[in-house]
Amino acid sequence: MGTALVVTSGKGGVGKTMVTANLGVALAELGKLVAMVDMDVGLRNLDIIMGLENRIVYDLNDVIDGQCKLQQALIMDKRFDNLYLLPAAQTRDKSSITSRQMRELCAELKDRFDFVLLDCPAGIEHGFTVSVAGADEAIVVTTPELNAVRDADRVIGLLEAAGHRNPYLIINRVRPRLVRRNQSLRVQEVVDILAVGLLGVIPEDERVVASMNLGEPVVLYGGEVAHAFRDIARRMLGEEVPMLPVEEGRGVLGALRRMMGIG
Amino acid sequence: MRDPGRPGDSPREILLHLPDGQDFSRALEALDRQLSGADPMDVVVDIGTRKLSTRELLRLEEAISRHGSRLLRVTESPSRKGGSTLRIVGSSGSRHREVVEEESQRPSEDFERTLLHKGVLRAGQMIKYGGNVVILGDVNPGAEVIAGGDVVVVGTVRGLIHAGARGNSAAIVVALRLDPVQLRIGRHFSRRPEDGPTEEGGPEMAWVQDGRIVVEEYRSDVRRR
Ligand SMILES: Nc1ncnc2c1ncn2[C@@H]1O[C@H](COP(=O)(O)OP(=O)(O)OP(=O)(O)O)[C@@H](O)[C@H]1O
Ligand SMILES: [Mg+2]
């Protein structure tokens, strides 16, 4: 029996889909059987990021409506035969899936997969409620900006109310240079405010944008972002992996500034 | 107690009832029918004397947002007698707020009552209580505490606190760290405590002195008035 995790944020555009895709790949690399579900009906893009859009025949709504079997709608990844995508419908009434249907679908997916990753739409409306209903655990994605953190906080409150007592936190698009100039919140400040367990920190990297356009998750490129995702995947499997010091600037200057309390 | 400073904005408000003694799912279906085909509205739901679980609240919200409307508030019919009732009030839409609200039916006793909240009070959450409020956790940006009496926060205050909300300027606010967006005591308010948060260290206390809110290091011998 696998685990279903919802990847959510409140604020849009902070990197839920990017996280879902790369976490899927990183878990698959470790030999886990993974299903990614695109819950963003009407705005689907997980398939594009994975480079799988041309293989879609059936979608999530077809499965729910009984138009096809789950197996027929699942698309196998090009690179990993243990990674699958269940795409969202392109055009559909956004509210046509109920929480109960979602729970049933996730139960079926968990029978077959080790991890089920639900890429949640932005906001806290119906799509959020339904995605959360199907999940055992939640990953909250935020960027180190005040308004994103506030929306994440709101979402964590709602998750708690729905019984998800200990959501995980991923802080995306951390820019060490801005942090050092005090133009961005520090990782520790974000963690202090949200008061939930930190699963990982992902740096800003131009290659993320390029990779998304090419349909090749950035984990496959190597580099710092890839490293961060591989660490996260290992943490999810229960390994103790220390956080990379993404933002601190290891230099003497950084240490000095910290000692003097101006860093 | 009424919401202070909440503008009566928004489109059209409609009041719908969940009749007492009706199974929740039934009541929800009825409400669903009432909303279908209607324009998006701000919906206030009167739950009579029933108590909603969080799950039911989420279902209610889901049912309403399905029609493009949003749940603005949940109210009870005032038929309930005595004591105070804890209830969760929620609304959705872009400015979603989940509110934990406690209101006493007997205001005269409010002053002696204290509400304890364990855990972080998060953005969009609000505690409103006629008596004193103690929070074991932080009050985050976007969260609000409105108390008739004193407010004690065993954590950091980054949100909005209103102590002595019924005009009691003798009320105090104590917190491990005070860094609120806004602090109100009685009828006084300050954007940020004028003395600013003290150096990292001991707990801080805010109270009204000579008509303005001051913040100082908390000392156990400080007495009100
Ligand atoms: N670490 C990063 N470095 C650079 N760019 C990034 C990073 N993470 C995300 N982005 C960029 O941010 C944009 C939004 O990412 P993504 O689509 O994953 O967000 P989302 O939360 O799923 O958005 P939505 O709420 O619309 O579903 C993309 O263009 C992506 O390339
Ligand atoms: Mg997305």
Side-chain angles (χ1 to χ4, degrees), chain A residues 150-151 153-155 157-158, chain B residues 6 89-91 95-100 121-127 140-144:
Chain A
R150 189 180 287 213
D151 282 359
D153 194 39
R154 188 162 293 191
V155 156
L158 292 173
Chain B
R6 184 76 40 72
V89 181
S91 84
R95 287 172 63 241
H96 184 106
R97 28 186 1 115
E98 177 171 325
V99 181
V100 181
L121 200 67
R122 298 188 180 278
Q125 297 181 332
M126 174 198 279
I127 286 182
N140 274 353
E144 295 177 26

Side-chain angles (χ1 to χ4, degrees), chain B residues 14-19 30-32 34-35 41-48 64 73 75:
Chain B
I14 181 180
L15 179 69
L16 297 176
H17 298 267
L18 290 188
L31 182 138
D32 197 69
Q34 285 176 285
L35 282 176
M41 280 175 292
D42 281 354
V43 182
V44 177
V45 178
D46 184 343
I47 57 171
I64 291 170
R73 198 161 56 242
T75 63

Side-chain angles (χ1 to χ4, degrees), chain A residues 99 124 153-154 160-161 193-194, chain B residues 54 62 96 122-123 140-141:
Chain A
S99 295
I124 46 180
D153 194 39
R154 188 162 293 191
E160 286 172 345
I193 291 175
L194 297 179
Chain B
T54 306
E62 190 184 323
H96 184 106
R122 298 188 180 278
N140 274 353

